[in-house]
Amino acid sequence: NTDLGFSIVKYASNSGTNSTVGHGLNVAPKMIIFKNRDRAIYWSVYHTSIGAGNYLRLNTTDLSTSTSVFQSTAPTSSVFYIGSDNSLNVGTENIVAYCFTDTDLIKTFSYTGNGSADGPYVHLGHKSRWILVKRSDSTSSWTIVDTARNTYNVVTQRLYADLSNAEDTDTPFDIDTYGIKA
């Protein structure tokens, strides 16, 4: 859906040969989450803020560097690049890619924390309903907060995408009409 800024792409890998895959957004995706549907392996994540030579893993806390994942090439308005990494391109396995770009409803962003309980404000232009955040300069969990379980500020309930823990409580975000305060 180009208006929403989101596409789901299914493709069959081609035995580890560098290749391109069409995404259908008509603008370059800012974030792509990949899942190999044929076996249990990490979920690779591309995000424009860390560069195409780096990738995150949705089910781990690390930041990794490898030219074999995205060929160190950023997506274009028509395709994304995959290398020979076994999470994206091994054998003839089925892979799904969730592609996101910025619209009025979806925002992919990065910000620099300040190490304070009074963190930075990130203007998004709308009230966010669901937020996934990951520190990219060191190991840390993927934190999920939303306004369905937290109907007013301060948002205190969170989940972790890379852990099987029960819901946790903390005060990671204020969510207001136009953005978040981290």
Side-chain angles (χ1 to χ4, degrees):
N1 185 329
T2 57
D3 293 334
L4 184 58
F6 175 64
S7 70
I8 301 172
V9 178
K10 294 191 294 185
Y11 66 92
S13 56
N14 63 4
S15 300
T17 304
N18 289 349
S19 58
T20 59
V21 177
H23 54 70
L25 288 175
N26 299 325
V27 295
K30 296 184 105 183
M31 181 174 175
I32 308 172
I33 301 172
F34 296 86
K35 174 64 175 125
N36 183 318
R37 296 174 50 220
D38 289 337
R39 64 182 158 129
I41 192 167
Y42 55 88
W43 296 49
S44 294
V45 178
Y46 163 82
H47 194 281
T48 187
S49 69
I50 61 171
N54 298 309
Y55 66 101
L56 300 166
R57 294 178 177 165
L58 186 61
N59 53 322
T60 70
T61 62
D62 62 345
L63 167 67
S64 300
T65 304
S66 173
T67 57
S68 69
V69 179
F70 305 119
Q71 302 179 45
S72 294
T73 306
T76 69
S77 60
S78 58
V79 299
F80 56 81
Y81 296 82
I82 56 171
S84 58
D85 184 80
N86 62 5
S87 69
L88 307 177
N89 197 7
V90 64
T92 56
E93 296 176 352
N94 294 300
I95 314 294
V96 64
Y98 302 94
C99 306
F100 301 89
T101 194
D102 287 351
T103 65
D104 289 340
L105 298 174
I106 294 176
K107 297 292 183 198
T108 59
F109 61 92
S110 65
Y111 67 91
T112 302
N114 61 12
S116 169
D118 186 24
Y121 181 77
V122 181
H123 181 79
L124 300 173
H126 67 274
K127 183 171 183 165
S128 296
R129 303 276 304 155
W130 187 88
I131 299 168
L132 171 68
V133 64
K134 163 77 170 88
R135 185 173 177 169
S136 64
D137 65 346
S138 70
T139 60
S140 69
S141 287
W142 291 81
T143 303
I144 301 169
V145 294
D146 64 74
T147 59
R149 290 171 298 129
N150 291 258
T151 56
Y152 56 89
N153 276 328
V154 172
V155 174
T156 59
Q157 296 169 305
R158 63 183 179 181
L159 297 169
Y160 300 102
D162 55 297
L163 300 173
S164 60
N165 296 15
E167 183 176 77
D168 187 354
T169 58
D170 199 352
T171 55
F173 292 100
D174 278 333
I175 300 175
D176 73 15
T177 304
Y178 296 105
I180 62 168
K181 186 164 181 67

